[in-house]
């Protein structure tokens, strides 16, 4: 069975993430920083829910840009300038985040509309007139977010939910919209029976460069971890540097390092291999499941954890209030749940240890309110280290059976 052009492309090393894309990601992560500011100011379930709404909306368009630059690399001045405009629009959104439900909602919405317009303009470079099937639903979502800025309370929340619903139906609209005129290679068109229908479109959407796509999201995650490290400094502030304070800071750092280990030691390389082994027609859906739906709770977990660190590290000897205690535990639990979903989507094994560790991490909040802050941090580190140790031992025991000699 001979390899097709798409199969051959899948075996190529792939290109690296450019410094401009990394710069773009730094600006996007500023929105995550602002979300932690919003949450740390008011650690309640209502604010936590609204932070989740904002991140879902923002991360949709980040994912759209990550896919875009995978297909349309910023390798010429016109593309670079457009991508910089997109960065500026994301910066407007970030600056408006802390008061988005007070008096900057319209500013946020207009900035988000700018994000969508720039994305659609760039998308036409690779997908021509069919970009409308992405651009219109995304623009309607941006207008819904803008409308949310003109109302208060549940009405505003309703407009945010409408925006999310519009975003979630965008892939269906794009896959089944009329007038699909993809310029597929001849061999690919022949493989699809000469068709230019939904199957051909899925091949085009799935023509991702696995190395670039996986690396791009990994770099985003490592920048997001930087937010948890910054939160250590923000939480400590101007307090005297005592041995106890250093101990709390090292525990917080150990927590971030353990989360880093959870994803980067095994998941990233295995994810790239899973993408390469997936046919292009199925790769688009795999990217959505692994790098959008599963990545969302991972990023949200980092934001919650950072907010918890900001509000607790200055009071290590005191008992945290329920909000900060739950932010710490819930942040770790959300990250683990997202990572378990990520592994399940890519069929990476094992999953059960991470899935089991998520409720254990969440349960530390109940103990956390009854002990000093460093006690909860120590419990969370113990849960993560224990999970990683048991998982490593299980994998080592199974390896002789799974790998031929």
């Amino acid at each position: 069975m001979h390899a097709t052009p798409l199969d051959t492309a899948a075996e190529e090393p792939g290109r690296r993430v450019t410094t401009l894309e990394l710069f773009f990601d730094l600006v996007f992560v500023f929105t995550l920083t602002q979300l932690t500011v919003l949450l740390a100011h008011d650690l309640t379930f209502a604010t936590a829910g609204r932070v989740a709404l904002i991140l879902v909306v923002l991360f949709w368009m980040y994912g759209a840009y990550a896919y875009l630059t995978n297909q349309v690399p910023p390798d010429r001045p016109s593309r670079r300038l457009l991508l910089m405009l997109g960065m500026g629009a994301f910066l407007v959104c970030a600056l408006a985040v802390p008061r988005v439900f007070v008096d900057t909602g319209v500013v946020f919405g207009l900035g988000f509309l700018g994000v969508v317009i720039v994305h659609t303009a760039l998308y036409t470079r690779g997908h021509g007139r069919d970009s409308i099937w992405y651009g219109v639903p995304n623009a309607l979502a941006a207008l819904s977010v803008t409308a949310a800025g003109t109302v208060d309370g549940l009405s505003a929340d309703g407009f945010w939910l409408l925006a999310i619903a519009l975003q979630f139906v965008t892939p269906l609209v794009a896959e089944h919209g009329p007038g699909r005129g993809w310029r597929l290679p001849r061999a690919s068109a022949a493989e699809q029976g000469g068709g230019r229908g939904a199957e051909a479109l899925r091949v085009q959407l799935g023509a991702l460069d696995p190395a670039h796509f996986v690396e791009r999201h990994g770099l985003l995650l490592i920048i997001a971890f930087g937010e948890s490290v910054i939160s250590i400094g923000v939480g400590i502030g101007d307090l005297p540097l005592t041995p106890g304070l250093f101990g709390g800071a090292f525990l917080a750092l150990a927590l971030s390092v353990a989360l880093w280990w959870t994803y980067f030691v095994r998941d990233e390389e295995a994810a790239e291999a899973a993408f390469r082994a997936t046919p292009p027609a199925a790769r688009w859906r795999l990217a959505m499941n692994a790098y959008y739906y599963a990545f969302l709770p991972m990023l949200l977990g980092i934001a919650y954890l950072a907010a918890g660190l900001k509000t607790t590290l200055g009071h290590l000897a005191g008992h945290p209030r329920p909000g900060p205690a739950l932010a710490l535990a819930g942040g770790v639990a959300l990250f683990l749940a997202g990572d378990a979903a990520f592994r399940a989507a890519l069929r990476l094994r094992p999953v059960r240890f991470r899935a089991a560790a998520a409720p254990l991490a969440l349960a530390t909040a109940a103990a956390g309110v009854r002990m000093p802050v460093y006690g909860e941090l120590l419990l969370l580190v113990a849960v993560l280290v224990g999970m990683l140790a048991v998982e490593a031992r299980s994998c080592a025991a199974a390896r002789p059976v799974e790998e031929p000699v």
Side-chain angles (χ1 to χ4, degrees):
M1 184 175 179
H2 66 279
T4 67
L6 282 172
D7 294 330
T8 303
E11 297 302 322
E12 293 177 356
R15 64 182 182 85
R16 301 295 301 273
V17 174
T18 66
T19 54
L20 180 56
E21 290 171 290
L22 185 58
F23 199 176
F24 183 97
D25 293 353
L26 285 167
V27 175
F28 172 77
V29 170
F30 181 46
T31 65
L32 195 67
T33 301
Q34 293 289 75
L35 287 174
T36 66
V37 171
L38 174 61
L39 184 59
H41 181 70
D42 181 30
L43 264 173
T44 62
F45 282 111
T47 304
R50 285 176 166 175
V51 164
L53 289 178
I54 297 170
L55 183 60
V56 170
V57 168
L58 285 172
F59 189 56
W60 174 264
M61 285 310 301
Y62 171 83
Y65 272 88
Y67 173 80
L68 167 70
T69 55
N70 187 278
Q71 299 282 288
V72 186
D75 55 4
R76 60 198 67 175
S78 61
R79 294 178 181 179
R80 293 184 187 121
L81 288 171
L82 280 172
L83 195 59
M84 290 173 186
L85 285 175
M87 291 166 60
F90 263 123
L91 181 62
V92 171
C93 294
L95 293 173
V97 160
R99 296 180 58 84
V100 69
F101 288 100
V102 181
D103 56 11
T104 60
V106 172
V107 173
F108 179 98
L110 293 176
F112 194 67
L113 183 60
V115 169
V116 171
I117 291 171
V118 172
H119 176 266
T120 306
L122 267 169
Y123 219 84
T124 60
R125 304 299 178 93
H127 298 276
R129 67 188 181 197
D130 287 325
S131 301
I132 190 174
W133 300 107
Y134 300 92
V136 170
N138 285 335
L140 290 174
L143 292 174
S144 182
V145 170
T146 306
T150 65
V151 293
D152 299 316
L154 292 177
S155 297
D157 296 338
F159 276 115
W160 280 89
L161 289 171
L162 175 59
I164 292 171
L166 287 166
Q167 290 178 336
F168 280 17
V169 302
T170 298
L172 296 176
V173 173
E175 284 190 64
H176 302 290
R180 295 185 292 269
W182 301 105
R183 296 185 294 274
L184 293 173
R186 289 184 180 179
S188 302
E191 279 190 349
Q192 302 300 331
R196 291 175 178 265
E199 183 67 15
L201 177 57
R202 280 190 286 270
V203 172
Q204 176 72 13
L205 291 173
L208 295 167
D209 181 328
H212 176 273
F213 196 73
V214 172
E215 183 189 19
R216 179 77 185 273
H217 286 83
L219 289 172
L220 171 69
L221 202 58
I222 200 69
I223 297 170
F225 278 134
E227 170 58 24
S228 66
V229 176
I230 292 170
S231 296
I232 296 173
V234 173
I236 290 174
D238 297 326
L239 293 175
L241 297 178
T242 63
L245 197 63
F246 277 118
F250 282 130
L251 279 174
L253 181 61
L255 194 54
S256 296
V257 169
L259 291 176
W260 169 88
W261 193 295
T262 300
Y263 177 82
F264 284 98
V265 168
R266 293 185 61 204
D267 286 9
E268 193 171 38
E269 289 185 6
E272 183 179 336
F275 264 101
R276 291 189 183 281
T278 302
R283 200 174 285 171
W284 161 250
R285 185 54 56 188
L286 183 64
M288 285 289 296
N289 290 338
Y291 284 101
Y292 180 70
Y293 297 118
F295 243 61
L296 262 174
M298 294 168 72
L299 289 172
L300 191 60
I302 293 173
Y304 286 171
L305 174 63
L309 291 175
K310 284 180 179 179
T311 54
T312 57
L313 285 183
H315 314 280
L316 283 169
H319 294 202
R321 291 172 288 115
L326 192 56
L328 291 172
V332 174
L334 265 176
F335 185 93
L336 291 173
D339 190 57
F342 176 83
R343 287 186 143 229
L346 292 167
R347 298 185 178 180
L348 307 181
R349 297 293 181 266
V351 175
R352 64 186 185 277
F353 300 109
R354 298 171 190 219
L360 284 178
L362 186 60
T364 63
V369 295
R370 294 177 173 83
M371 61 176 64
V373 171
Y374 57 78
E376 184 179 4
L377 291 174
L378 189 59
L379 283 176
L380 287 168
V381 171
V383 167
L384 290 173
V385 172
M387 176 203 74
L388 291 170
V390 171
E391 182 179 275
R393 185 174 180 178
S394 174
C395 291
R399 191 170 295 123
V401 177
E402 294 176 354
E403 295 181 0
V405 178

